[in-house]
Amino acid sequence: MSKTEIIIFSKNRTLQLKSLLTSIRHCSDILEDQITVLYTSEPDIPYDQLIDEFHCTFVLQEAFLDDVKRIVDNADSSYICFMVDDLIFRDLFSLRGIESFMDHNGDMDCFSLRLGRNIQDGKEPEFSSRDGNIIVWDTSEALGTTWKYFWEISGSIYRKDLVSKYLRK
């Protein structure tokens, strides 16, 4: 049983969403019932075919912040993963392995599926390694000044209590 709720944001991009969901099927141990897709749609860009093909929960966006809060509050999980519909995985990864890593490293607030030594935030972070192949760095000095907001939503996993606390602000 997974400890992570995956929330994918999609706006009128069914082809990109299909590519992401297909890559998740092939590159990870994520189950479709762990995924909630929060989407907006135009009449000429229907999501019906994706809703039929994938066994995710599809939520038509009504009020974005309220919708996100509701999804997070109703998630029976320890972690929340945010993704956007134009993300595609090309390498294998294990969500169960990431959950185990987060469980054993309580000082880690976030696990990114795409960031690594490629990041800079005014200066290069001091990288270290845990568990052999996991790169870690401390973001407390800059706290997301590169992105101008707290969350990086292109494939990052956060502790649910941190997400809930931030959404209440």
Side-chain angles (χ1 to χ4, degrees), residues 10-18 40 45 47 50 84-87:
S10 183
K11 183 175 182 178
N12 298 325
R13 297 179 359 162
T14 54
L15 181 59
Q16 290 89 336
L17 179 61
K18 181 172 182 162
T40 61
I45 307 175
Y47 278 69
L50 293 178
V84 290
D85 56 13
D86 60 356
L87 179 65

Side-chain angles (χ1 to χ4, degrees), residues 93-127:
F93 68 95
S94 170
L95 182 62
R96 305 303 172 268
I98 294 166
E99 292 166 346
S100 177
F101 178 81
M102 296 283 287
D103 287 346
H104 290 96
N105 291 276
D107 61 325
M108 296 288 168
D109 290 326
C110 173
F111 189 103
S112 174
L113 293 166
R114 68 174 204 93
L115 297 177
R117 294 187 187 276
N118 59 319
I119 68 162
Q120 289 191 1
D121 204 2
K123 64 176 186 161
E124 186 171 319
E126 291 184 27
F127 296 107

Side-chain angles (χ1 to χ4, degrees), residues 11-37:
K11 183 175 182 178
N12 298 325
R13 297 179 359 162
T14 54
L15 181 59
Q16 290 89 336
L17 179 61
K18 181 172 182 162
S19 296
L20 169 58
L21 293 173
T22 301
S23 73
I24 287 172
R25 272 185 184 166
H26 293 286
C27 292
S28 76
D29 54 359
I30 295 172
L31 303 174
E32 290 178 6
D33 65 0
Q34 297 172 240
I35 300 171
T36 298
V37 178

Side-chain angles (χ1 to χ4, degrees), residues 25-137:
R25 272 185 184 166
H26 293 286
C27 292
S28 76
D29 54 359
I30 295 172
L31 303 174
E32 290 178 6
D33 65 0
Q34 297 172 240
I35 300 171
T36 298
V37 178
L38 181 59
Y39 71 99
T40 61
S41 180
E42 299 293 324
D44 58 333
I45 307 175
Y47 278 69
D48 298 344
Q49 185 177 356
L50 293 178
I51 291 169
D52 291 340
E53 183 177 346
F54 295 94
H55 297 81
C56 307
T57 300
F58 285 81
V59 176
L60 182 60
Q61 180 180 313
E62 294 176 12
F64 181 77
L65 182 57
D66 292 337
D67 294 335
V68 173
K69 286 179 182 178
R70 189 172 26 263
I71 294 166
V72 169
D73 289 344
N74 291 331
D76 185 24
S77 61
S78 301
Y79 306 107
I80 302 292
C81 177
F82 295 112
M83 295 183 188
V84 290
D85 56 13
D86 60 356
L87 179 65
I88 296 177
F89 294 103
R90 63 184 184 98
D91 295 317
L92 298 175
F93 68 95
S94 170
L95 182 62
R96 305 303 172 268
I98 294 166
E99 292 166 346
S100 177
F101 178 81
M102 296 283 287
D103 287 346
H104 290 96
N105 291 276
D107 61 325
M108 296 288 168
D109 290 326
C110 173
F111 189 103
S112 174
L113 293 166
R114 68 174 204 93
L115 297 177
R117 294 187 187 276
N118 59 319
I119 68 162
Q120 289 191 1
D121 204 2
K123 64 176 186 161
E124 186 171 319
E126 291 184 27
F127 296 107
S128 60
S129 180
R130 287 201 192 161
D131 292 358
N133 62 350
I134 306 292
I135 299 169
V136 298
W137 63 92

